């Protein structure tokens, strides 16, 4: 394999799984990162990547990766940054081993998200939480995580409202896409002509992760935001794109126009720095009365923007609206890559 | 056509449309009603029913109806009860004409639902509201309506909670089936691999109709219940069965067991009278953590029961749960037929 | 467990799998058979059936079976007939062990279908092939198999044509339902908005099994029919019901009316004997130009009839038509049960 | 509207319909054509295009077109080439009027396809048929049509086989996408969990159009190819991409390798001329045993290539294989645009 010396070599842990494949796909032709190593479980090791992965992305396997030999998930990879698409049942120990060995682990796994000294990061929301990295005391190494897919969409829409008006409570019901369950994931017989009103662990994540994300960075760590979130999570027969029906209670009493303006004007460090994967506008508001929709809007800004629409008064809280996030791009691998781009821009690598 | 003299002859207005077809299907072999007349718009008149209707029910057209000649929607039908599956754009005037002519109009249309002197009726919820009929001053004639499909499921689940614990507010997000939009209804290109977060007029109905249904019958009419409802309505790619994610705030502070017991013990006049179409148990609670589901539970008790499950604490209101109702049976034609059965049992016909 | 002494006790091998569950469902309330034993792999043994089976039929587990303890698949079951829904990778040896031990094995597995001394049986097609049983020389024991799901539909439609006109060649392209792949079977991400043009081993079965089924019983065994079959098998996003586009070349030169009459007049021993699971009419012809369809016709005659339609001239062979068979009822468990009913009627049990 | 003087202005007839929208989408940023006029039926006239069109393409309306005023379909448009996405019930007369007025009509409508003096054109298959244009005797005006969507895919795969080996007969069964029916097209209730074995007029087109396309250009017009085609057309629940199971009988006796080589080596005038919309390789052969699939391969070469796979012996004809074509791109608007590009390159405009 020929490595481009002008790019930063990166590794992918769990490279053959569904999140791993998305990392491979999104990193093809990336201007600053180049995949220098793919690692996976024993079953895949020592095979060529194109033989080991049951590739199911709609675009072909990037040539630069297809013939790489799959390695073991041990910290001897020829890179400093590793993206982790590992399953939660193995991610914990492997990621720690890499971090201790001096690797910067950019993880999509849930294992370390709520750990006090680990940044749970959405670059547009809480870039300042990267300060937690120092508390890990691992020298050049460390772990940075991105939130759960549904959380990312929700929190990006809540952030400008929280900053401008203060959030008092949030009620959210999700209609989540099949790709969120990985591969093979949901059996076709279970979801055809059906809705499944349960996704294990999802509601717990949605009710806790946004509070850390919207929390305040202090000398002692992150002081979480203090409001209640109620989440109900459903699986629907959609390939990609998590749809969410959200209601919020706000401390201020903004008009609908002010709420929409808060979204439209929302911009943050990734936009200022013009990071490669950053959407130009993190949150798009649609005025059409039946938007956003997964099929029409999930690919907006290469899948990195969040779409909202239908803002109107809520008779129980203050406002209700509809939200859409591409769960495997902005909600997973794409967010992790943006996290890494931010760290490079901040010279943390 | 041979009419069974032991049965009560009934007519169907809008008999060729999707609700009309459901009436025809559900009334086949009904022990007390017999379809004596089918009426529809000019386009269908004077054709045999099987020629006029683009029949799309999965069971064959009942023989007793197939060869009947479709009549005009004018009050000269050989029956006293008419079921109305008319479109809202014509239902208003036609139903009034029939009522004034002495017919008992049992309607699924939305036109007269919120009219002060018209019973908006779910037999298990507010049978006493039938007293409104007298206020119509139409002698033997009158109009009785059933609520919107999503409202029926929701209100049947709320009724025992309201009676035992008092409801302070309700938040509901629906995932509604395609059949709710009639036929041809939703274009396949619009819903395949998609969610549509808008159903015209639906949220307004869900936020108002339950208050009338749960209201108190007084000498001056129905005094509506006094609590806030917030509804967000989505269309999903499911054939039949509206799924709803509900949160409620209760005045009392019941335990989860008490809430479940309220549902399981809920029974009302249709059950006492053992009406033909009445479910044995109006509300079924499932303990499985991923139930109810449209595909598995919509046919429960011939589609006339409401399924609930996943009762758990809500961090914003008090409890949240999942609900399912068969939208074209319990939520439409089946409810109207039960309404008529109740009126027969009460000798209002 | 209380066993009904007026019924014939039967066992189910592989009772927790998808075919096994269908056996359990279809045998509930069967007038002559009663499930006396459910057996499955080690993982399920000694559990109650309702705990061992990941039940996914749309109707509840029959009470009579729910609490039975799952046994091992060894020939000590309290019955003489066993239905086998075993996976092909274990069915071969287990079924032989049961047959040698004197059990009558009525199998849906493919392992012994093409074995010279094993009847491959569709009661309407080749009841006389049961004579092969004697060639097994297993005393009261023996193995009888039903064909592949797609084969059953096709062969039932071919049988009356072969008898009356002689078949020279058959070309068939299938669009097969998801339930044909068992559970969990096809991943939802693979089939949503897609067609998969491959089903392992299916084309080979469709090109060989009908020839045995339509073969002639001789003293030396079955002499297979002598014509060519070409099959192309596709998976589509349908829950139940295999659709087939068929072309046939016939020796005779029947008119379209004669072909349709051959189907409509087709009747056989199961109809004469009025076997419990036998359809009144094995093959239904529809004159509508867009019938049959899986959603509308798969449940015809409790899923035991085959639907055909659209007979018209074929420019390459003689006639082309469309065919539908319920793959898990007529095409699997239902056919096996009918096979057993035939053997009981013939006093082979 | 600012028109780019370096580009050729074109008009779109039926611009608001589903084919018209595809023209608008595919012509955005086209290097040699620019949309100078959009025309549609009376209902849309004088509205801005973005108001008149119920836009349902997944990408936004091209800015250059969005604000254009929709014109009447009369031959006073500021351009020489018009693309016709008109419905067949009006296309006949309107297209003739434009042709007589000196416009070059590049039509996707079926009306003139089989007319003796009208080229039915796939640039890779029969570019020489453009000679028919002169027989129209309309000076600079004329009509050129592209074939039916299913025909295009089939004929592109047949062309190299016919040239090298000679075709004796073809049997094809299609599984066609929903977008082929236009918008709103197929009702969701009709196709969810279903297959519809009928598409009006489709089989007739598939059995005749390929013969004209593969016919020989003579002084008297096109002498059609002389072999039999049998087509059976089904609609399946797929958004885009027609799948076809094909069998062919060939005059020569090529090996499978030779057939595959014929496809892989197939190249024609659009490739030599490097026309803008031409795929680099018109027919792609896949060796995977479950390819091609609509979801994975419809976008190949921007939707302009045809995918084939699974070549194997057919027991009735000689070979069978699976084929996929993007029905709204290669099979409709994209083919028409390539037709126009060819005519520009040949200086026929």
């Amino acid at each position: 394999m020929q490595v481009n010396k002008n790019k930063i070599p990166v590794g992918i842990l769990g490279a053959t799984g569904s999140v791993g494949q998305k990392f491979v796909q999104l990193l093809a032709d990336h201007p600053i990162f180049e995949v220098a190593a793919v690692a996976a479980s024993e079953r895949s090791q020592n095979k060529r990547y194109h033989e080991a992965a049951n590739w199911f992305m709609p675009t072909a396997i990037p040539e630069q990766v297809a013939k790489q030999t799959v390695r073991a998930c041990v910290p001897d990879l020829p890179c400093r940054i590793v993206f982790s698409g590992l399953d939660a049942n193995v991610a914990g120990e492997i990621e720690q081993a890499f971090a201790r060995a001096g690797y910067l682990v950019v993880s999509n796994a849930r294992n370390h998200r709520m750990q006090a000294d680990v940044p749970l990061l959405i670059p547009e929301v809480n870039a300042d939480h990267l300060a937690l990295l120092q508390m890990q005391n691992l020298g050049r190494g460390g772990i940075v995580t991105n939130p759960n897919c549904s959380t990312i969409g929700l929190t990006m829409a809540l952030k400008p409202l929280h900053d401008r008006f203060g959030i008092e409570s949030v009620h959210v019901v999700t209609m989540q896409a099949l790709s969120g369950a990985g591969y093979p994931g949901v059996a076709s017989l279970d979801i055809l002509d059906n809705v499944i009103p349960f996704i294990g662990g999802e509601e717990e994540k949605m009710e806790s992760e946004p509070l850390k994300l919207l929390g305040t960075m202090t000398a002692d760590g992150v002081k979480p935001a203090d409001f209640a979130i109620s989440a109900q999570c459903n699986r629907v027969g959609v390939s990609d794109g998590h749809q969410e029906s959200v209601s919020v209670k706000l401390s201020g009493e903004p008009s609908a126009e002010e709420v929409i303006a808060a979204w439209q004007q929302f911009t943050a460090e990734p936009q200022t720095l013009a990071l490669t994967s950053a959407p130009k506008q993190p949150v798009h508001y649609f005025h059409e009365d039946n938007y956003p929709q997964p099929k029409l809007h999930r690919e907006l800004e290469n899948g990195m923007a969040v779409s909202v629409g239908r803002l109107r008064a809520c008779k129980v809280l203050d406002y209700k609206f509809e939200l859409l996030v591409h769960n495997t791009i902005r909600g997973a691998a794409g967010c992790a890559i943006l996290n890494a781009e931010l760290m490079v821009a901040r010279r943390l690598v």
Side-chain angles (χ1 to χ4, degrees), chain A residues 169 171 247-249 313-320:
Chain A
S169 62
H171 190 286
S247 287
V248 287
K249 187 168 173 52
C314 173
K315 290 191 172 164
V316 171
L317 303 182
D318 290 337
Y319 282 106
K320 52 190 180 186

Side-chain angles (χ1 to χ4, degrees), chain A residues 71-114:
Chain A
R71 295 162 178 255
C73 290
V74 290
D76 63 358
L77 305 184
C79 56
R80 267 218 59 219
I81 298 178
V82 290
F83 291 103
S84 166
L86 291 166
D87 275 349
N89 59 339
V90 297
E93 291 189 17
I94 294 176
E95 291 180 4
Q96 282 173 26
F98 272 86
R100 277 193 226 104
Y103 289 81
L104 193 55
V105 180
V106 185
S107 174
N108 181 62
R110 70 165 186 267
N111 307 60
H112 301 102
R113 284 180 190 160
M114 298 304 287

Side-chain angles (χ1 to χ4, degrees), chain A residues 22 25 38 74 78 93 114 118-119 133 153 192 196 199 210 219 233 243 245 271 281 283 292 297 304 306:
Chain A
K22 203 74 192 177
Q25 185 193 35
V38 283
V74 290
E93 291 189 17
M114 298 304 287
V118 171
L133 263 179
L192 177 72
I196 304 174
I199 301 175
C233 295
Q243 188 87 3
S245 292
Q271 285 70 45
Q281 190 178 334
V283 179
H297 306 113
M304 288 297 286
V306 169

Side-chain angles (χ1 to χ4, degrees), chain A residues 15-341:
Chain A
T16 55
S18 60
V19 178
Q21 290 190 19
K22 203 74 192 177
F23 275 123
V24 169
Q25 185 193 35
L26 293 179
L27 289 169
D29 304 316
H30 193 283
I32 63 169
F33 296 131
E34 183 165 66
V35 178
V38 283
S41 67
E42 210 170 353
R43 196 176 46 73
S44 299
Q45 286 163 27
N46 297 320
K47 295 183 188 163
R48 297 296 177 105
Y49 183 75
H50 71 94
E51 293 158 352
N54 176 20
W55 185 259
F56 61 93
M57 299 286 127
T59 52
I61 304 184
E63 277 189 39
Q64 194 262 337
V65 173
K67 297 199 174 162
Q68 291 189 29
T69 301
V70 178
R71 295 162 178 255
C73 290
V74 290
D76 63 358
L77 305 184
C79 56
R80 267 218 59 219
I81 298 178
V82 290
F83 291 103
S84 166
L86 291 166
D87 275 349
N89 59 339
V90 297
E93 291 189 17
I94 294 176
E95 291 180 4
Q96 282 173 26
F98 272 86
R100 277 193 226 104
Y103 289 81
L104 193 55
V105 180
V106 185
S107 174
N108 181 62
R110 70 165 186 267
N111 307 60
H112 301 102
R113 284 180 190 160
M114 298 304 287
Q115 200 171 307
D117 60 0
V118 171
L120 179 66
L121 183 66
I122 303 174
E124 285 90 344
V125 170
N126 62 338
D128 59 323
H129 289 200
L130 276 173
L132 287 178
L133 263 179
Q134 292 180 326
M135 296 171 62
Q136 294 182 22
N137 284 320
L138 291 169
R140 301 168 64 211
I143 299 176
V144 171
T145 63
N146 59 265
N148 164 275
C149 45
S150 300
T151 298
I152 293 176
L154 178 63
T155 309
M156 286 179 67
L158 294 182
K159 170 68 175 175
L161 309 190
H162 194 51
D163 284 355
R164 291 204 187 182
F165 317 118
I167 291 175
E168 295 197 356
S169 62
V170 175
H171 190 286
V172 57
V173 174
T174 67
M175 291 153 279
Q176 300 188 213
L178 300 167
S179 57
Y183 184 85
V186 181
S188 53
L189 284 171
D190 284 340
I191 198 67
L192 177 72
D193 194 10
N194 206 12
V195 168
I196 304 174
F198 179 70
I199 301 175
E202 195 80 359
E203 296 174 352
E204 292 78 359
K205 293 175 204 161
M206 289 196 77
E207 294 184 350
S208 59
E209 293 179 5
L211 302 178
K212 180 172 177 181
L213 285 156
L214 296 173
T216 309
M217 188 67 218
T218 72
D220 300 328
V222 172
K223 190 187 156 203
D226 182 24
F227 58 82
I229 306 175
S230 171
Q232 290 168 270
C233 295
N234 300 279
R235 183 80 65 194
V236 294
V238 167
S239 60
D240 290 309
H242 288 353
Q243 188 87 3
E244 309 183 12
S245 292
V246 187
S247 287
V248 287
K249 187 168 173 52
L250 303 171
S251 308
E253 296 189 349
S255 66
E257 289 68 30
E258 290 168 325
V259 172
I260 292 171
W263 282 323
Q264 290 176 327
Q265 294 161 7
F266 177 46
T267 186
E269 194 170 327
Q271 285 70 45
T272 311
L273 296 173
L275 298 179
T276 301
S277 303
K280 289 211 178 70
Q281 190 178 334
V283 179
H284 287 244
Y285 185 83
F286 287 91
H287 288 276
E288 287 84 350
D289 63 8
N290 58 349
Y291 280 11
Q293 297 179 14
K295 197 177 194 169
L296 297 180
H297 306 113
R298 59 192 166 203
E299 301 290 350
L300 193 66
E301 300 228 24
N302 299 315
M304 288 297 286
V306 169
S307 297
V308 292
R310 300 203 73 216
L311 186 80
R312 57 219 191 280
C314 173
K315 290 191 172 164
V316 171
L317 303 182
D318 290 337
Y319 282 106
K320 52 190 180 186
F321 61 92
E322 198 79 12
L323 176 157
L324 171 74
V325 61
H326 194 303
N327 56 301
T328 67
I329 301 180
R330 182 74 223 201
C335 189
I337 293 171
L338 189 63
N339 285 350
E341 291 169 4

